[in-house]
Amino acid sequence: MSRHDKQPRYCALFDLDGVIVDTRAAIREALRALACEAGVAIDPDVLDATVLLSPVDALRVLGVSDAHRVYNCDYDEALSLAIGEVRVFDEVVSGMATLAKSGIGLGIVTAQARSRLRYLVPPEVMDLVAVVIAHEDAPAKPAPDGILAACAHLRVPPERTFFIGDRTTDVMAGRAAGVITVGASWGMAGAAALRREGVDVLIAAPDQVGPVVLAQIDSRGGLADR
């Protein structure tokens, strides 16, 4: 029987960008390339700020005409060409492995399109997770649908589910889903914004993912069925 065949008592769901991988440099390079191809003069400060926007909104801010068409036709290729800029948070992956060995079900809930997962999600992470909810599978956060779909797949109720995210919309989605929200301080929004949004648990550094989640489970009665 594989690890994924066993029924977990708890599960931990992870956002992708800013939590497991840092895609900011890759997104920046993809946007820069598309803007240059469109003949747009780029202000580096504006380019840096657009990384936090959706790709379509970022292209509009940069001055790319017909941003929606450019996104649909060219963004995926531009991002795939910038894959060398993606950084994996190895300590988070190690923490995920620790959780999996402890019998905790793992999943990913991301706004990325499923077609991008083959080059954005490290193979070792795909081996650890039992479910991936991508852009096509559920409405975008802060809607709770993606989180609830992952809970249903893992057959773990929301009250025994942790959702680790790095944006305020992750906290909002987790709260709406009724899960335990966990903030990744190293990600996009930062610790202060996550606190203001009322995150349940805040993790200071990537190497604390495993220990913090396990400590939270212990405080709730542990992994054994009661």
Side-chain angles (χ1 to χ4, degrees), residues 154-208:
L154 291 164
R155 293 182 294 156
V156 176
E159 61 268 23
R160 292 207 300 269
T161 297
F162 296 84
F163 180 52
I164 299 94
D166 67 315
R167 294 179 184 247
T168 56
T169 50
D170 294 323
V171 179
M172 295 164 65
R175 185 165 55 238
V179 303
I180 303 151
T181 58
V182 182
S185 298
W186 57 92
M188 302 279 192
L194 295 169
R195 282 196 195 95
R196 284 194 298 271
E197 191 54 48
V199 69
D200 295 318
V201 181
L202 194 62
I203 301 181
D207 63 357
Q208 290 300 301

Side-chain angles (χ1 to χ4, degrees), residues 103-175:
I104 297 164
L106 301 182
I108 292 173
V109 181
T110 177
Q112 290 287 1
R114 189 165 291 278
S115 60
R116 299 173 195 152
L117 300 182
R118 59 186 172 81
Y119 56 81
L120 289 179
V121 182
E124 60 269 31
V125 172
M126 290 302 291
D127 289 342
L128 291 171
V129 300
V131 60
V132 178
I133 304 297
H135 170 77
E136 300 90 339
D137 302 322
K141 295 168 282 188
D145 304 56
I147 296 172
L148 292 172
C151 290
H153 181 92
L154 291 164
R155 293 182 294 156
V156 176
E159 61 268 23
R160 292 207 300 269
T161 297
F162 296 84
F163 180 52
I164 299 94
D166 67 315
R167 294 179 184 247
T168 56
T169 50
D170 294 323
V171 179
M172 295 164 65
R175 185 165 55 238

Side-chain angles (χ1 to χ4, degrees), residues 18-215:
V19 177
I20 299 174
V21 295
D22 186 350
T23 54
R24 283 173 287 193
I27 292 170
R28 184 185 190 280
E29 174 56 24
L31 293 171
R32 185 203 65 78
L34 292 174
C36 286
E37 188 175 326
V40 174
I42 301 172
D43 181 329
D45 291 334
V46 174
L47 179 60
D48 288 341
T50 61
V51 170
L52 298 178
L53 303 175
S54 72
V56 173
D57 287 341
L59 290 168
R60 287 185 182 130
V61 169
L62 290 171
V64 175
S65 61
D66 202 359
H68 203 275
R69 181 195 61 78
V70 171
Y71 170 75
N72 285 333
C73 295
D74 302 322
Y75 181 77
D76 278 13
E77 181 180 1
L79 185 62
S80 68
L81 292 173
I83 188 61
E85 302 291 336
V86 174
R87 172 193 171 199
V88 179
F89 292 111
D90 292 324
E91 300 95 334
V92 174
V93 179
S94 295
M96 293 175 72
T98 297
L99 295 176
K101 288 177 183 176
S102 299
I104 297 164
L106 301 182
I108 292 173
V109 181
T110 177
Q112 290 287 1
R114 189 165 291 278
S115 60
R116 299 173 195 152
L117 300 182
R118 59 186 172 81
Y119 56 81
L120 289 179
V121 182
E124 60 269 31
V125 172
M126 290 302 291
D127 289 342
L128 291 171
V129 300
V131 60
V132 178
I133 304 297
H135 170 77
E136 300 90 339
D137 302 322
K141 295 168 282 188
D145 304 56
I147 296 172
L148 292 172
C151 290
H153 181 92
L154 291 164
R155 293 182 294 156
V156 176
E159 61 268 23
R160 292 207 300 269
T161 297
F162 296 84
F163 180 52
I164 299 94
D166 67 315
R167 294 179 184 247
T168 56
T169 50
D170 294 323
V171 179
M172 295 164 65
R175 185 165 55 238
V179 303
I180 303 151
T181 58
V182 182
S185 298
W186 57 92
M188 302 279 192
L194 295 169
R195 282 196 195 95
R196 284 194 298 271
E197 191 54 48
V199 69
D200 295 318
V201 181
L202 194 62
I203 301 181
D207 63 357
Q208 290 300 301
V209 167
V212 168
V213 172
L214 288 173

